[in-house]
Amino acid sequence: MKRIKECLMLIILSSVCALLYNTLSPEGIALVGEWDTSKGVVSAVAKNDPVVHGLEIDSVQTAKEIYDSGQAVFVDARSQEAFDGGHIRGAVSLPVYSFEDKIEQFYKAYPPSTYIITYCSGRECQDSHELAQLLIQIGYTHVRVYIDGFPVWQKNGFPVVKSSTEKGE
């Protein structure tokens, strides 16, 4: 019985230390979050969470209206390979994980006043939010996030390029 009590005390003490460390760490794991995709992109509510629901365009029809107006540049936050496999017609590839390598060229082509719509693979993907935050940090002033991304756009039969070898972009 004594060993069981000692084990329980050790488990409790370890758990308290782990939770305290997690709370104080800037890279702590989120214990709560937004997991309902009907409310937007899933978000773990971490200390460095890039999701800002106020930037979200949560309707494919609204995104299509903006696209049709020609007022915005659609920017694909997915990997170059995903982009090459298919993307919104006319979109620009700026993979969030290659941001540092590609932002100078992007900045030259699109000034900070450009209306930008970022997107990625849907509501379970935070890359578009992360890219939006990076663009805002360097001075872009009109950035939104189309949260349903390429899959829903394509499912609705809207203009896409199915591969990088397809003509007509």
Side-chain angles (χ1 to χ4, degrees):
M1 187 65 155
K2 183 179 175 186
R3 287 187 191 241
I4 292 174
K5 285 182 183 179
E6 288 174 348
C7 286
L8 284 175
M9 288 303 293
L10 186 58
I11 290 170
I12 291 169
L13 182 61
S14 298
S15 298
V16 168
C17 288
L19 287 171
L20 182 62
Y21 178 81
N22 188 58
T23 301
L24 298 175
S25 171
E27 299 296 321
I29 299 170
L31 299 177
V32 295
E34 178 59 64
W35 309 111
D36 184 356
T37 57
S38 69
K39 295 181 180 177
V41 171
V42 292
S43 168
V45 190
K47 295 171 186 153
N48 56 356
D49 185 13
V51 175
V52 177
H53 292 295
L55 297 177
E56 294 180 342
I57 298 169
D58 63 357
S59 159
V60 68
Q61 293 303 328
T62 301
K64 179 67 162 64
E65 289 171 13
I66 295 168
Y67 176 87
D68 288 342
S69 75
Q71 296 174 342
V73 174
F74 280 68
V75 180
D76 193 321
R78 301 173 303 152
S79 70
Q80 189 65 51
E81 294 77 20
F83 180 84
D84 290 345
H87 57 271
I88 293 174
R89 185 176 303 282
V92 175
S93 177
L94 184 58
V96 70
Y97 298 109
S98 302
F99 184 81
E100 294 297 323
D101 297 333
K102 297 188 178 227
I103 190 55
E104 187 177 335
Q105 182 180 357
F106 181 86
Y107 195 86
K108 287 177 184 176
Y110 305 99
S113 60
T114 304
Y115 184 13
I116 294 175
I117 308 292
T118 62
Y119 73 91
C120 57
S121 298
R123 293 183 184 224
E124 295 179 2
C125 173
Q126 293 186 9
D127 291 352
S128 54
H129 272 281
E130 190 172 334
L131 179 59
Q133 291 304 317
L134 290 169
L135 290 168
I136 290 167
Q137 287 173 11
I138 64 167
Y140 283 85
T141 57
H142 200 58
V143 180
R144 302 284 307 274
V145 178
Y146 166 52
I147 63 175
D148 288 320
F150 181 67
V152 172
W153 183 274
Q154 184 177 33
K155 180 180 173 187
N156 278 271
F158 296 154
V160 299
V161 173
K162 294 182 183 172
S163 72
S164 61
T165 60
E166 184 177 321
K167 302 285 189 231
E169 217 184 329

